Amino acid sequence: MIWILAGLALGVVVGYYLPFTYSIDYSLYMSVAILATMDSIFGAIKSGFEGKYDNIIFLTGFIGNALLAIILTYIGDRLGLPLYYVAILVFGSRLFDNLSIIRRHIVTNMRNKKRGK
């Protein structure tokens, strides 16, 4: 799990200092892809706390979720339908679910340490 957090921190630092820009036309695609990858990262952290983390599942989910979100957005764009709402709803709700599980796990561990268990 420490590798995930280190990779995330490294990505933020590199992204901040590299002068990488993209066209405004791709902003919708990028935002949905970032939401999907954040869902995968929080899912990996949750799995790490539960002792079920698997690197292959994380990598395939990370890439697969981002591609699925981009493809849904692209198809919706071609059809004139806002299909990116589907990705926002699903990945956003999963993101908050994973965050609540992570928070409960951290709070429970802190309480147990205070009680001396």
Side-chain angles (χ1 to χ4, degrees):
M1 184 178 75
I2 193 72
W3 291 106
I4 295 168
L5 296 176
L8 181 61
L10 178 66
V12 168
V13 170
V14 169
Y16 183 76
Y17 287 109
L18 277 180
F20 178 76
T21 59
Y22 53 87
S23 171
I24 193 78
D25 298 331
Y26 299 119
S27 63
L28 185 61
Y29 297 103
M30 292 301 292
S31 63
V32 173
I34 289 170
L35 182 64
T37 55
M38 289 300 294
D39 170 57
S40 296
I41 290 168
F42 277 90
I45 293 170
K46 179 192 80 162
S47 296
F49 280 137
E50 294 175 345
K52 300 177 184 177
Y53 178 76
D54 184 3
N55 202 30
I56 299 298
I57 291 174
F58 168 70
L59 290 175
T60 56
F62 186 84
I63 295 167
N65 285 347
L67 287 176
L68 177 63
I70 291 170
I71 290 169
L72 266 175
T73 305
Y74 177 76
I75 290 172
D77 196 25
R78 295 291 123 208
L79 293 174
L81 297 170
L83 287 180
Y84 63 93
Y85 286 146
V86 174
I88 291 171
L89 178 69
V90 171
F91 292 128
S93 66
R94 284 179 34 167
L95 188 68
F96 283 107
D97 286 342
N98 288 336
L99 184 61
S100 68
I101 292 169
I102 292 167
R103 178 187 45 83
R104 276 188 233 123
H105 190 276
I106 291 171
V107 169
T108 302
N109 282 347
M110 289 173 61
R111 282 185 182 163
N112 288 341
K113 285 182 182 179
K114 279 187 177 181
R115 293 179 185 158
K117 291 184 178 180

